[in-house]
Amino acid sequence: MASLALSNPTLSTPFLPQKFFCNGNLKKATAAGPYIPIFRSFRSPRCAVNAPYEGNTPKFPRMNVWDPYKRLGVSPFASEEEIWGSRNFLLQQYDGHERSAESIEAAFEKLLMTSFRERKKTKINLKSRLKKKVEESPPWVKSLLNFVEVPPVEVIFRRLFLFAFMGGWSIMNSAEGGPAFQVAVSLGACIYFLNEKTKSLARAFIIGFGGLVAGWIVGSIVGPTIPTFLIHPTWTLELLTSLVVYVFLFLACTFLK
């Protein structure tokens, strides 16, 4: 019996199932021949993990509000700090919902661009007003402004540091001697900077020496008017005058041309 069952694999017995699944197709055993596949649509069950599921993730209720201020819940007069704070708070509150985050970021970027355009427009208007005032000023004011030039910020700070160092050096040596050496070094530095700018040593010397004389005259007038309780006992009138000279030399070599 066992040899007969092995030689005829199509033999139907009560111990063999009449129907079974193989590779997703339903096949049926018959006594007339080999197994005949019966093609039926067999759909495997979908796992719930693969299905899009938002669950209890909160959604941003103002997702479709057109006004970016109302969408972020801030006033039209809100500062940039308030806008940043509202944006961070909303992103943290609705974290996990992609469309809500996109809506919040879109409103935030729109407000940033609006703020940037307003600042740029204000800067342009300020330059236009200053230019208009210069054009409407008297001729002698225009002539004076032709000698003024604003250098880059790093140049201003470098020269300010130099003359501030000279002033500090003069104060530290006030008890030992006068600031004649420091003033001479400052005058030489001023002439050097002016020569680099004007490409004329004679013009640089005239402007530098003029700044020295103007600073010394102003310092001689202003120095005695300073109350004595504001001045260190070792500070002389010569030292106070030299401090004013440093200011004039700094302005001359930095802003004059």
Side-chain angles (χ1 to χ4, degrees):
M1 184 67 180
S3 61
L4 180 60
L6 292 175
S7 62
N8 189 5
T10 62
L11 180 63
S12 176
T13 66
F15 301 101
L16 294 176
Q18 298 297 318
K19 297 181 181 180
F20 63 96
F21 291 93
C22 181
N23 295 330
N25 296 326
L26 182 64
K27 294 185 179 182
K28 184 176 181 181
T30 62
Y35 297 107
I36 301 174
I38 300 176
F39 296 98
R40 295 182 182 179
S41 59
F42 178 73
R43 184 175 298 175
S44 60
R46 295 181 62 185
C47 181
V49 178
N50 297 329
Y53 174 70
E54 295 179 351
N56 296 325
T57 303
K59 297 181 181 180
F60 185 41
R62 300 188 298 273
M63 192 183 307
N64 298 322
V65 175
W66 179 82
D67 190 350
Y69 290 101
K70 293 181 179 179
R71 191 186 304 178
L72 292 182
V74 296
S75 168
F77 305 100
S79 62
E80 290 191 9
E81 290 78 10
E82 294 174 340
I83 295 174
W84 273 95
S86 177
R87 175 252 187 191
N88 295 335
F89 173 76
L90 292 175
L91 286 179
Q92 184 178 6
Q93 186 175 4
Y94 299 99
D95 185 27
H97 194 267
E98 184 177 356
R99 288 190 299 159
S100 297
E102 291 177 355
S103 177
I104 295 168
E105 288 288 5
F108 174 71
E109 291 175 1
K110 187 178 294 185
L111 291 183
L112 280 188
M113 290 301 298
T114 302
S115 177
F116 173 74
R117 286 194 295 266
E118 289 295 329
R119 289 199 303 268
K120 189 175 181 181
K121 185 178 179 180
T122 303
K123 186 181 293 186
I124 293 175
N125 291 338
L126 179 61
K127 290 182 178 179
S128 301
R129 288 197 297 267
L130 290 175
K131 185 177 180 181
K132 186 177 180 180
K133 288 183 178 180
V134 170
E135 292 176 352
E136 295 175 354
S137 59
W140 65 271
V141 175
K142 294 181 181 179
S143 300
L144 289 178
L145 292 177
N146 289 333
F147 291 98
V148 177
E149 180 183 25
V150 180
V153 178
E154 57 271 13
V155 175
I156 296 176
F157 278 105
R158 283 201 300 265
R159 296 180 184 178
L160 179 62
F161 174 79
L162 173 63
F163 288 97
F165 173 77
M166 290 298 176
W169 187 9
S170 300
I171 293 174
M172 292 175 62
N173 294 337
S174 60
E176 300 177 0
F181 177 74
Q182 291 86 347
V183 171
V185 173
S186 300
L187 176 61
C190 180
I191 294 174
Y192 173 78
F193 293 141
L194 287 168
N195 183 43
E196 275 192 339
K197 184 188 299 185
T198 61
K199 305 301 181 183
S200 173
L201 183 59
R203 183 182 180 87
F205 182 80
I206 292 173
I207 296 176
F209 191 74
L212 173 65
V213 172
W216 199 269
I217 293 174
V218 174
S220 301
I221 297 173
V222 173
T225 62
I226 301 176
T228 54
F229 65 88
L230 296 177
I231 304 175
H232 196 271
T234 59
W235 290 15
T236 62
L237 178 61
E238 184 181 7
L239 174 61
L240 297 175
T241 304
S242 66
L243 295 179
V244 178
V245 168
Y246 297 144
V247 175
F248 274 76
L249 291 177
F250 163 72
L251 295 175
C253 69
T254 305
F255 298 102
L256 295 183
K257 61 179 181 179

